[in-house]
Amino acid sequence: MLPEFNDGTNLFDHIAHRACRSISYFNAQGLSNLAWSFAKANQHSPELFELIAKASKRRMAEFSPQDISIMLWAFTRVTHAGEHDKRLFKMLAKRAMSCSSDFKSQELASTVHAFATAKRQNYKLFKMIGDEAVVQIESFSPQNLSKIVWAYATAGVPHSRLFDEAAKKASGCLSEFVSQDLSNTAWAFATAKVYNPHFFEAIAEEALAKLREFEPQHLSNIVWAYATLKLPHERLFSEVADAVLRRRTEFISQQVSSLIWSYAYVCVGSVNQCLYSLLESIVILSIDDCDSQFLANVAWSYAVANVDAPFLFRNRSAFINAILTRQEEFNLRELCQLHQWILWQKEMRPEFVVQSSFQELCYKAYTERLPNPSTFQDEVMLELKSIGLDPIEEYRLAVCGYILDAIVEIDGEKIGIEVDGPSHFAGREPLGKLILKQRQVFNIEGLRVVSVPYWEWGGVVNKQEYLRSKLGMNSMKIL
């Protein structure tokens, strides 16, 4: 804490006062260093930063790559000068593009990191910096590799070659990555939807060696990344779960929501039961400061895990009060998650009661979703017809609201058919959404569902015999 003078001001107040009077004498380096000093000391001086922005525009041709990256960093750290700051970002981007080959790796990473942090879109700048970063990739430190891929993922700007080269470079120096770098890198690849299993295997091994160094946010981010890319690493998920349980009081609501969703989405091993049971009390404490995504993710995740949480979900609990009082905040996806949770609660507790109008809202949201048949599904339907069946396609189940790809009748028994492509699996393990659907269709509708996984279908020569065996129409054994 800075010492104050008798009049209640501090040293930075006096520096700001003098600097404002002499700002026209500062060169580009002086302006960027001045902004950096105030930002580093967390000293907000709107008048000074507005004058720095104005003076920087007059000195723009003098700005070096280092000056640019420092100035941008400073303006992302403080409450600054509104429209002046927007124009400053545009001018600094233009200046950066005029001298891109002069940038060093740290300046490249810091510049796009600042734009991403400030939510300033500039695709031309990102394209230029990404191309230059590929050229200089061998000079990037672990921190700057993590920083640059984080920036592209956060800004939503694709650059596949940069991610490929960053993975190659990082693979050779992962032992030098600290926990935050490992977590942020995994998060960035997952957010950018860059699928690289070999790289993620290497990240997992390094993360396991350093797991004690991980902060709660890092633990949450890394399992979220693996779940999002459908790359469940059983040992990593198991050891992270152990770490979470030991340190569960350190986690905030957003991190808890992300963790719970990740473990439900990919359903790794047998960690769910203990994890969900012990996190119940933390979830209850988080309800007051949570958002709609937290509520929906928690509800859906417990439904997938099929772990009872009697205090969390009891009638008139804080959780149920929260979803009812904030029901207008839920988007379509969240309402669909809550519909599946309501179905699960009715399975678990016959005495479960929630406002009927809210149940109707969730059911309506779920049943408004339109089916999207695939070519794979069309192939299976043709083969079903060829063995004498009459499949009713896109069959809506009235009670639970689920749509089955088809329903057939054999010897008086109705059987559901689900054609499950790669989006339903992590490797060959069913994702949480598939497990939940199959369980609820059977438990609520009393309907047996036969799954046709893509890898079985692709490996079978006689598809008609395969379907007969699946449906119990002959004794063929499926390997």
Side-chain angles (χ1 to χ4, degrees):
M1 184 175 179
L2 290 170
E4 294 186 350
F5 296 104
N6 290 335
D7 60 359
T9 60
N10 62 38
L11 177 61
F12 276 87
D13 294 327
H14 287 264
I15 293 173
H17 179 70
R18 294 292 297 272
C20 286
R21 296 174 62 184
S22 57
I23 200 75
S24 61
Y25 296 101
F26 282 72
N27 61 18
Q29 184 179 8
L31 290 167
S32 62
N33 286 346
L34 180 63
W36 180 90
S37 299
F38 273 75
K40 186 71 174 177
N42 199 30
Q43 295 296 304
H44 294 195
S45 177
E47 180 186 4
L48 175 62
F49 273 82
E50 181 175 342
L51 289 173
I52 289 174
K54 290 179 178 178
S56 296
K57 294 165 196 171
R58 294 192 293 269
R59 299 277 190 179
M60 194 54 61
E62 302 173 14
F63 272 74
S64 68
Q66 185 178 38
D67 298 332
I68 293 169
S69 63
I70 289 174
M71 184 67 79
L72 288 168
W73 178 87
F75 270 74
T76 62
R77 287 290 300 268
V78 299
T79 302
H80 36 78
E83 287 301 317
H84 292 288
D85 131 37
K86 292 180 184 178
R87 290 195 290 270
L88 177 63
F89 269 73
K90 288 181 181 178
M91 294 185 72
L92 287 170
K94 185 176 180 180
R95 172 60 184 158
M97 287 188 282
S98 72
C99 58
S100 60
S101 60
D102 296 331
F103 275 68
K104 296 177 182 177
S105 58
Q106 182 175 349
E107 295 154 357
L108 291 168
S110 295
T111 296
V112 287
H113 189 274
F115 271 82
T117 302
K119 296 180 172 59
R120 305 288 181 203
Q121 295 284 0
N122 194 311
Y123 288 99
K124 288 183 180 179
L125 174 69
F126 272 72
K127 174 68 166 63
M128 178 277 294
I129 287 184
D131 292 344
E132 187 60 33
V134 168
V135 173
Q136 297 189 35
I137 201 71
E138 289 302 319
S139 67
F140 272 71
S141 68
Q143 183 181 26
N144 288 327
L145 283 169
S146 169
K147 185 184 288 187
I148 199 166
V149 294
W150 180 92
Y152 279 77
T154 301
V157 179
H159 200 299
S160 58
R161 193 175 170 207
L162 172 62
F163 277 83
D164 289 344
E165 295 300 320
K168 291 176 188 175
K169 168 63 178 173
S171 295
C173 59
L174 279 175
S175 62
E176 301 172 32
F177 277 59
V178 299
S179 61
Q180 184 175 2
D181 297 335
L182 290 168
S183 171
N184 285 353
T185 300
W187 179 91
F189 273 71
T191 301
K193 295 180 173 58
V194 178
Y195 186 76
N196 192 326
H198 295 297
F199 182 44
F200 268 67
E201 180 65 30
I203 290 177
E205 292 305 313
E206 194 60 40
L208 284 164
K210 296 174 177 173
L211 211 56
R212 290 185 178 277
E213 302 169 16
F214 275 61
E215 297 294 331
Q217 186 66 57
H218 307 155
L219 291 169
S220 171
N221 280 354
I222 202 162
V223 293
W224 178 89
Y226 279 76
T228 297
L229 290 177
K230 296 187 290 187
L231 289 170
H233 190 289
E234 189 158 355
R235 187 182 161 210
L236 176 65
F237 273 63
S238 178
E239 294 201 18
V240 168
D242 290 342
V244 170
L245 295 176
R246 287 194 305 270
R247 303 167 54 188
R248 57 187 179 274
T249 58
E250 300 175 29
F251 288 80
I252 61 173
S253 60
Q254 183 182 14
Q255 296 158 0
V256 171
S257 171
S258 179
L259 283 163
I260 287 175
W261 176 87
S262 300
Y263 281 89
Y265 187 70
V266 290
C267 296
V268 179
S270 59
V271 297
N272 284 2
Q273 295 287 330
C274 185
L275 181 72
Y276 283 82
S277 295
L278 290 177
L279 283 180
E280 180 183 6
S281 60
I282 306 302
V283 173
I284 290 171
L285 293 173
S286 302
I287 289 171
D288 289 341
D289 62 349
C290 70
D291 58 13
S292 62
Q293 184 181 35
F294 173 93
L295 294 168
N297 276 351
V298 164
W300 182 85
S301 301
Y302 272 87
V304 172
N306 203 24
V307 176
D308 192 17
F311 297 103
L312 178 61
F313 298 135
R314 72 179 189 274
N315 289 337
R316 293 182 293 279
S317 68
F319 184 90
I320 291 178
N321 287 336
I323 63 172
L324 292 177
T325 56
R326 301 171 65 175
Q327 58 187 277
E328 293 183 2
E329 299 175 22
F330 293 111
N331 60 32
L332 181 63
R333 175 180 174 274
E334 292 162 355
L335 288 171
C336 290
Q337 288 179 306
L338 289 166
H339 169 68
Q340 292 175 298
W341 168 75
I342 290 170
L343 293 177
W344 173 64
Q345 282 295 290
K346 289 180 176 180
E347 288 179 70
M348 295 282 289
R349 275 185 278 277
E351 75 280 5
F352 174 74
V353 177
V354 71
Q355 197 175 84
S356 59
S357 60
F358 183 68
Q359 292 187 52
E360 291 167 6
L361 176 68
C362 295
Y363 183 88
K364 184 173 184 290
Y366 197 88
T367 53
E368 281 180 352
R369 301 189 308 173
L370 297 176
N372 185 24
S374 64
T375 304
F376 174 25
Q377 183 176 327
D378 292 340
E379 291 176 12
V380 175
M381 295 305 116
L382 285 173
E383 296 294 348
L384 286 169
K385 291 174 184 176
S386 72
I387 61 174
L389 296 174
D390 184 21
I392 303 173
E393 298 185 51
E394 310 303 341
Y395 188 87
R396 172 84 67 185
L397 298 169
V399 177
C400 63
Y402 282 114
I403 293 179
L404 297 178
D405 292 334
I407 193 165
V408 297
E409 187 169 334
I410 302 172
D411 294 334
E413 180 192 6
K414 290 184 177 180
I415 302 172
I417 308 289
E418 282 287 89
V419 181
D420 295 320
S423 65
H424 295 87
F425 299 91
R428 292 190 175 184
E429 295 298 319
L431 293 175
K433 61 182 180 180
L434 179 57
I435 292 171
L436 180 61
K437 180 177 182 179
Q438 291 178 342
R439 192 181 75 224
Q440 292 190 326
V441 168
F442 181 78
N443 289 346
I444 296 170
E445 303 280 352
L447 190 68
R448 178 164 69 96
V449 176
V450 170
S451 172
V452 181
Y454 71 97
W455 71 83
E456 286 186 0
W457 186 257
V460 170
V461 176
N462 191 330
K463 305 205 185 290
Q464 294 180 14
E465 286 301 308
Y466 167 83
L467 288 172
R468 286 193 184 96
S469 178
K470 275 278 187 180
L471 293 165
M473 296 171 71
N474 61 32
S475 58
M476 176 184 173
K477 184 177 180 181
I478 304 300
L479 299 177

